[in-house]
Amino acid sequence: MPADLSPIDKAKFVAAKRAVDLIEDRMTVGLGTGSTAAWMVRCLAERVREEGLRVTGVPTSRRTAELARQLGVPITTLDDAKWLDMTIDGADEFDPALNLIKGGGAALLQEKIVATASDQMVVIADAAKEVTQLGAFPLPVEVIPFGWQTTKALVEEMLVAMDVMNRDVTLRMNGEAPLVTDEANYILDLHLKRIGNPRQLAMVLNQIPGVVENGLFIDICDIVVIGHGDGRVVLRDINSGETEDGRVDFAPTDNIFTDLGD
């Protein structure tokens, strides 16, 4: 175990490892995108390698697909799988009702499609992602490049009537150029600070011409697994109302910690 692994990375790892324990043999599983989801793919690969777990992954981005291939996790497309047993993914924020903000990794469109095509969505996160009200993390909105400035103006106009604290909207950049998603779209980041009615905002955003999808995941997440830097893990099931406290032994193999450039 690397001695310099941060408490946040330890929390991400233990949450990922506990979530991967929920996967059963022969499941088809959506594989999320981002730093926490990368730990999940590594933990899943360890189960495939060490236990002979038979699983098929459906990646939510090109970089997750590449990581899964490098680690030996079998993958397929959503079109071939059609329906999934479970999706495991990270989140930028989650509230007490397990509503989410996602899209910090610019993969929100594929992530939402895959998550809604699953029997269950499991979110893995460190404790810092839990909030009483969504909005501190900028809300990503995927838009088509054509007329994006017009779309941005329409979003800004719409926000005047919404229950939000702030209304700044910025185009996400990649150096000197706009960031381009896997679907060749742009991302607008809405710096709202507080979202009073996430359900309403999600519905109104998707009615704006040029908007492809937004990063509010409402009534999609079923379980959240919250990791802590000391190995503690809390699992909350929104459907049953049950909470499970546990601990994950922090003794991963060298293969999990190999830097594969994710």
Side-chain angles (χ1 to χ4, degrees), residues 126-176:
D126 59 86
K129 301 298 193 301
E130 183 173 9
V131 297
T132 57
Q133 194 168 37
L134 299 177
F137 190 91
L139 173 64
V141 177
E142 188 156 344
V143 301
I144 67 170
F146 175 81
W148 73 266
Q149 294 189 58
T150 298
T151 303
K152 177 176 178 287
L154 290 171
V155 169
E156 291 169 335
E157 182 180 3
M158 176 274 297
L159 288 175
V160 174
M162 293 293 105
D163 182 9
V164 296
M165 184 178 293
N166 195 60
R167 297 191 295 272
D168 293 339
V169 179
T170 59
L171 178 68
R172 192 179 301 183
M173 304 296 289
N174 182 17
E176 298 297 318

Side-chain angles (χ1 to χ4, degrees), residues 7 26 40 78 92 102 108 122 158 177 186 215 244 246:
R26 298 187 183 276
M40 177 269 299
L78 181 58
D92 299 302
K102 288 181 53 55
L108 66 99
V122 178
M158 176 274 297
Y186 291 170
E244 172 194 305

Side-chain angles (χ1 to χ4, degrees), residues 54-76:
R54 291 165 294 184
V55 67
T56 303
V58 175
T60 56
S61 67
R62 284 197 286 264
R63 59 187 180 276
T64 296
E66 179 59 26
L67 179 62
R69 290 190 192 99
Q70 290 183 60
L71 292 172
V73 176
I75 59 174
T76 188

Side-chain angles (χ1 to χ4, degrees), residues 29-260:
V29 181
L31 308 177
T33 296
S35 59
T36 310
W39 286 114
M40 177 269 299
V41 176
R42 290 174 171 181
C43 291
L44 178 57
E46 184 179 43
R47 287 198 64 192
V48 169
R49 184 175 58 252
E50 301 295 331
E51 302 175 22
L53 181 72
R54 291 165 294 184
V55 67
T56 303
V58 175
T60 56
S61 67
R62 284 197 286 264
R63 59 187 180 276
T64 296
E66 179 59 26
L67 179 62
R69 290 190 192 99
Q70 290 183 60
L71 292 172
V73 176
I75 59 174
T76 188
T77 65
L78 181 58
D79 286 335
D80 285 340
K82 296 184 175 59
W83 195 259
L84 287 66
D85 298 292
M86 179 184 296
T87 287
I88 304 178
D89 203 349
D92 299 302
E93 285 185 345
F94 67 92
D95 69 10
L98 302 195
N99 295 316
L100 320 171
I101 286 181
K102 288 181 53 55
L108 66 99
L109 178 57
Q110 291 190 29
E111 287 174 336
K112 188 174 282 190
I113 292 171
V114 170
T116 54
S118 305
D119 288 336
Q120 277 192 322
M121 183 190 188
V122 178
V123 162
I124 48 178
D126 59 86
K129 301 298 193 301
E130 183 173 9
V131 297
T132 57
Q133 194 168 37
L134 299 177
F137 190 91
L139 173 64
V141 177
E142 188 156 344
V143 301
I144 67 170
F146 175 81
W148 73 266
Q149 294 189 58
T150 298
T151 303
K152 177 176 178 287
L154 290 171
V155 169
E156 291 169 335
E157 182 180 3
M158 176 274 297
L159 288 175
V160 174
M162 293 293 105
D163 182 9
V164 296
M165 184 178 293
N166 195 60
R167 297 191 295 272
D168 293 339
V169 179
T170 59
L171 178 68
R172 192 179 301 183
M173 304 296 289
N174 182 17
E176 298 297 318
L179 182 144
V180 178
T181 71
D182 281 359
E183 301 301 322
N185 295 317
Y186 291 170
I187 296 284
L188 297 178
D189 286 316
L190 281 54
H191 305 265
L192 307 177
K193 296 187 178 178
R194 179 186 60 80
I195 301 173
N197 192 333
R199 187 184 307 275
Q200 178 191 40
L201 181 58
M203 293 176 62
V204 175
L205 275 168
N206 282 8
Q207 294 174 4
I208 296 175
V211 170
V212 181
E213 190 52 83
N214 69 83
L216 285 166
F217 283 49
I218 309 298
D219 298 333
I220 297 176
C221 177
D222 298 285
I223 295 172
V224 62
V225 182
I226 307 165
H228 297 263
D230 61 0
R232 290 181 297 120
V233 177
V234 178
L235 185 151
R236 295 181 193 160
D237 188 323
I238 194 68
N239 299 311
S240 69
E242 297 178 353
T243 298
E244 172 194 305
D245 295 312
R247 180 173 292 276
V248 171
D249 292 331
F250 200 80
T253 66
D254 290 340
N255 287 333
I256 287 181
F257 284 104
T258 300
D259 184 3
L260 295 173

